[in-house]
Each structure stands twice: as structure tokens, then as C-alpha cells.
Amino acid sequence: MTKDLESGQDPNAAPPAGARVVVVGAGFAGGSFLRNLPPALRQPGETLLVDRGEEYTFIPLIHEVTVGRIHPDSVRTPITPHTNASYNVSRVEATGVDLPNNILLTSSGPIKYRHLVLAPGSVAAPPPEGLSEYFQTFWSLADALELRRALNRAWHAALSREALPLGGLTVAIVGGGATGVELAAEVAALFDYLRKRTARVPTEEPRVVLLEATDRLISWLDPYFHEMAVEELTRLGVEIKLNSPVTDADAEGVKAGDEWLPAAMRVWATGIQANPLVRDLPGEHEEAGRVSVSEHLTLPGHPEIYVLGDSSVYEHTQLGPLPPTASVAVQQGPYVARDVERRLRGVPDKRRRPFEFFNRGYVVSLGPESGVADPLGVKIKGRAAQALYRSVFLYYIKSSRGRLLISADWAMERTLGRVGFDLDRQPSAVGHRQEAR
Ligand SMILES: Cc1cc2nc3c(=O)[nH]c(=O)nc-3n(C[C@H](O)[C@H](O)[C@H](O)COP(=O)(O)OP(=O)(O)OC[C@H]3O[C@@H](n4cnc5c(N)ncnc54)[C@H](O)[C@@H]3O)c2cc1C
């Protein structure tokens, strides 16, 4: 068993029997709640974080890990108690909630709570039944590294003049949302980078094909995002196929609309599903399983339970249901910290303020040198949007180590090349800082 040397806490020990506030999930929502804990909850035994992971992954940058622009270690942050030990940490899996008895059920036993802050995030929407084995999802660092390995293998095989099947260097990405668009742009830019670094000609033509069932990319955002994404992806050589729902697949390719596309690498990136932990909660659930929450982000009928981040859906009076994004999650954590503090002080319910979402706008990366954004309603694109994208994420990364490593990865890319795509070596072992660039 490991023991945190700074705080003396052992996150692997059996969880305590209870705490005044129990938080599930150390991600964007849970982490921002914990950073804003009111003083009354910073006392020993008051607050307990439950997370099943040893480390937290900064998910929004995993497509850059796939193409070797960011080292996998740079997006990992260990989940350990802070030096000032303002809360305890238990590394167990939450498995359910016993609502009548205020008990969180976990893989290591029950934990009693007075307030429960549920922020376990989401999982990738799976491919339709029968197709799962032919696609990989794109939701975790493991997914990002799996795709990186496949790209690396295929590229080396094509240069070594190994016989590749038709579509051996084709990547089919299903889903034209922000994840699919960002990934398609990065993979196309990777192929361009690799081509420029070798005089050898691959036996197969590299292709990136983005398959979208509707007639628009990133359809939940202003049409400007679609227009700019189409322009930039086309410039990068991505083949965009709109109105092309994927209906079938096998180990050699996918069927989209009436067309059969040979593709050795197939990624399913059609969105999210709520974490299984929240799917069983009472109340209204939208299509993806996120549970509706009140104006105070609590579960209707259960004011002691807050549900945050990707797990819940909050109906904004002007914007409608808020999307499952980090920008929503990081505003919810501090709000809930303030709301719990008011309730601890005995502020009457009618004086509690509802959650207010401040729409700062959205930014989507379109490869290493471009992007599209609408900060505070102002539309920008190209390098300015890419610069904004980088600064937003450096702001979101709360560990100084993470900021430093990611900035260094971006800065070193031009001189040292891409992690895991060294042309003179065989694909190297993954996941270690010393891995060859
Ligand atoms: C590829 C990709 C790109 C993205 N890009 C962007 C972007 O550019 N901008 C943006 O705003 N958003 C982006 N998002 C969305 C963003 O990552 C999520 O909205 C955000 O992570 C949600 O935060 P959260 O706190 O709800 O969950 P998470 O950050 O996922 O944290 C959940 C935590 O809960 C823990 N956990 C889960 N289940 C259990 C359990 N049963 N027991 C104990 N612990 C558990 C996990 O270990 C994890 O630490 C992207 C997502 C993906 C997949």
C-alpha cells in the first residue's frame, strides 16, 4: 500500500465510515469544488473525496497525445491528498447511492454523508450493437494511446513496403462533433508532418475520413463553427462526408450511407453517455442518461445531493440544456462550494442563489496551427483561435507541473519531433516519460 508522504494519508486504506461532505470524482467538476472548499469543510474528517483512479487525465488534450504532440505523462495528474490535507481521499469505486439512508455504496463498503457531491463524469457513447468490436472509442488516455500505436504501426508498415490491405493507412472517424473534428484535423496534420520528414513513399495513400450522420459539423454550436471546420479540414486533406450515417462495419472497413469505405483504423466518436452511477438515480434523464438537476444543481427531491459536470443536465433559461463540457463543469464546482457554505451557515432556502452560467463562448482546435472560437460572442479563427485554445487549457490545468510539461511539449515539437513517431526507431514502449520522441 502506498502512503502519501506529505499528508500521511493512505488513499488505499478502507474508506472512513462517513464525512459531512462526500465528493465522488476528482475531475473538472469535483476538482473545482474541492479547490473552493469553505473553511468549515477544511477541518479533519469533514470532507472526503472518493475517486477510483490513481490519477486524473486532462481529457480535452488527448487527441494531441494520439499524434505525439503531447507526452502522455503531461496530461496525467496523480490524485493524492494535498499537503495542507484539507480533505481526505479514498481510492475506491462508488457503486451506488442508498438514498433513504444517506449512504454512498462503494467497492470497499458504505460511506455515510450529509451532503453528497456526485461528479463521476461520463463514458463514451458506444457503437450500435454488433459493431463494437470493429471500432475503438476516443474517451480516455488508453484510447488515445491505442490509436497512436495503430497509426505508428500502419505508417512504419507502409514505409517498409510491407503489403498493406486496401485502406491500411485510412482512418475513419465516426462523429462530426468537436471530438471527431479535432481528432480528424490532428491526424491529417500528423500525416503531413510524417510525409515531410521522409523521402520514402508509403505504399498506401494516407487518408482521414470524417463521417457525420447529419448535414453539419459541431451542430450544437453556431454555424460559423461548421463553416470554419469544413474550410480548415478540407485544407488539411480530410475527406468530410456529411449525411453519412454508419450502418455497418467489419475488420476491413465501414459502411456509411451507400458507400463502403476500406479503413484499417476506425474510431467511434459520437458523444457521451452518463456515468452508470447516475443512470439509476431517480428523476428525469435525457437521452444520454444525464440526470436533470434543480436551479441549485441538486437532485429534485434530494436537496442533500448535488450532481455536477457531465453527469447532470442543467436547463439554462436562455441557452437551454447546458452541454457536457469542461467549461460548464468548472463553473459548477465553485457554485456548489458556495451553496454548501451558505447552507452550513443556516441561510434560509429562499435566500439561496440559483446557479448562474456565464457563457464565455467556445473554442475548437483545428490542427496545430488553426482553430475557431467565439469568445464573448466575437468570432475568431486561424492562429488567433489556436492561441486562445492553448491559453484556455493552460488556465484549466491546475497543476503547475502539468502546465510546464504541456508548454514544454508544444515548444519542443518543432525541434525534437513528435512523441512515439520517431522515424529511425521502431515504435517505442508507451507511457513513460523517457520514451523516445
Ligand atoms: C476527447 C475529448 C475532448 C474534449 N474537449 C473538450 C474541450 O475542448 N472543451 C471542453 O470544455 N470540454 C471538452 N471535453 C469534455 C470534458 O472533458 C468533460 O466535459 C469534463 O471532463 C467533465 O468533467 P467532470 O468533472 O464531469 O468529469 P471528469 O473530468 O471525467 O471526472 C470524473 C472523475 O470521476 C471519477 N469516477 C468516475 N466514475 C467513478 C466511480 N464510479 N467511482 C469513483 N470515481 C469515479 C473518474 O476517475 C474521474 O476522476 C472533451 C472530452 C473528450 C472526451
Side-chain angles (χ1 to χ4, degrees):
M1 274 196 179
T2 55
K3 197 163 190 176
D4 189 85
L5 294 177
E6 287 177 336
S7 66
Q9 285 184 35
D10 180 357
N12 293 318
R20 185 133 64 137
V21 174
V22 174
V23 184
V24 179
F28 283 94
S32 61
F33 170 81
L34 290 165
R35 280 190 297 279
N36 289 276
L37 268 189
L41 293 177
R42 290 168 184 258
Q43 309 303 320
E46 288 290 305
T47 306
L48 173 68
L49 166 65
V50 171
D51 198 298
R52 63 184 174 194
E54 296 239 342
E55 54 195 16
Y56 174 68
T57 303
F58 193 85
I59 293 290
L61 290 178
I62 58 170
H63 53 287
E64 297 197 27
V65 173
T66 292
V67 297
R69 295 183 51 223
I70 290 184
H71 194 285
D73 281 355
S74 305
V75 294
R76 293 175 167 140
T77 308
I79 299 173
T80 50
H82 282 194
T83 317
N84 60 7
S86 54
Y87 55 88
N88 290 326
V89 179
S90 195
R91 196 166 292 142
V92 294
E93 169 139 20
T95 52
V97 187
D98 174 355
L99 293 163
N101 296 306
N102 285 21
I103 286 174
L104 177 73
L105 306 170
T106 79
S107 51
S108 293
I111 301 174
K112 188 113 179 112
Y113 60 82
R114 184 162 147 201
H115 297 283
L116 180 63
V117 178
L118 282 178
S122 54
V123 295
E129 224 180 305
L131 298 190
S132 289
E133 64 180 294
Y134 305 120
F135 289 94
Q136 73 148 100
T137 51
F138 198 75
W139 198 246
S140 64
L141 188 54
D143 289 341
L145 292 174
E146 183 183 337
L147 183 57
R148 191 181 79 168
R149 275 192 296 274
L151 284 163
N152 206 323
R153 263 198 309 268
W155 180 254
H156 275 85
L159 285 194
S160 315
R161 315 215 70 76
E162 278 176 32
L164 279 184
L166 195 62
L169 255 187
T170 298
V171 185
I173 299 170
V174 185
T179 299
V181 164
E182 289 188 340
L183 181 62
E186 284 293 348
V187 176
L190 169 72
F191 283 141
D192 184 50
Y193 164 90
L194 291 172
R195 270 204 256 236
K196 285 181 180 150
R197 286 177 60 107
T198 180
R200 287 180 281 166
V201 180
T203 49
E204 266 276 317
E205 188 57 25
R207 281 175 81 188
V208 183
V209 186
L210 183 60
L211 302 162
E212 165 55 41
T214 71
D215 61 358
R216 242 176 79 181
L217 300 179
I218 332 174
S219 55
W220 56 282
L221 290 176
D222 188 284
Y224 180 69
F225 282 77
H226 163 81
E227 287 153 25
M228 291 306 115
V230 169
E231 190 180 303
E232 187 58 22
L233 290 179
T234 307
R235 195 190 66 78
L236 288 167
V238 176
E239 297 167 47
I240 304 166
K241 295 189 186 286
L242 301 174
N243 301 308
S244 299
V246 168
T247 50
D248 204 358
D250 66 16
E252 270 130 41
V254 300
K255 185 170 184 228
D258 296 331
E259 194 188 342
W260 179 259
L261 172 74
M265 289 161 280
R266 300 167 299 274
V267 182
W268 193 269
T270 58
I272 66 145
Q273 261 189 7
N275 188 291
L277 193 59
V278 297
R279 279 185 228 153
D280 293 337
L281 291 176
E284 263 181 51
H285 293 252
E286 44 97 90
E287 211 183 331
R290 295 188 298 160
V291 67
S292 293
V293 284
S294 72
E295 57 176 2
H296 298 118
L297 305 183
T298 53
L299 193 64
H302 289 275
E304 73 287 4
I305 300 183
Y306 293 88
V307 193
L308 277 63
D310 281 10
S311 295
S312 66
V313 56
Y314 176 80
E315 188 71 32
H316 191 276
T317 41
Q318 274 116 49
L319 304 169
L322 294 183
T325 63
S327 47
V328 172
V330 294
Q331 292 190 39
Q332 294 184 329
Y335 164 79
V336 171
R338 281 192 301 276
D339 195 54
V340 172
E341 192 264 339
R342 281 191 200 109
R343 292 170 78 183
L344 293 177
R345 276 197 289 119
V347 172
D349 269 4
K350 58 176 190 275
R351 284 185 45 216
R352 274 166 74 198
R353 293 206 194 113
F355 170 63
E356 275 172 31
F357 175 70
F358 180 53
N359 186 11
R360 300 187 177 107
Y362 293 93
V363 56
V364 175
S365 164
L366 298 171
E369 287 168 8
S370 188
V372 50
D374 61 352
L376 305 173
V378 182
K379 293 180 173 122
I380 60 171
K381 62 173 185 168
R383 283 183 191 275
Q386 177 62 215
L388 177 72
Y389 168 83
R390 290 185 184 200
S391 51
V392 166
F393 284 123
L394 288 179
Y395 171 74
Y396 277 168
I397 296 165
K398 293 301 172 197
S399 89
S400 320
R401 174 187 169 276
R403 276 189 197 148
L404 204 71
L405 291 178
I406 288 172
S407 307
D409 286 338
W410 281 334
M412 288 190 304
E413 187 190 331
R414 282 180 194 279
T415 46
L416 295 184
R418 295 198 179 207
V419 186
F421 289 96
D422 189 329
L423 294 181
D424 301 325
R425 297 170 206 239
Q426 280 305 305
S428 48
V430 292
H432 302 289
R433 190 80 215 162
Q434 66 270 27
E435 146 189 62
R437 282 192 92 89

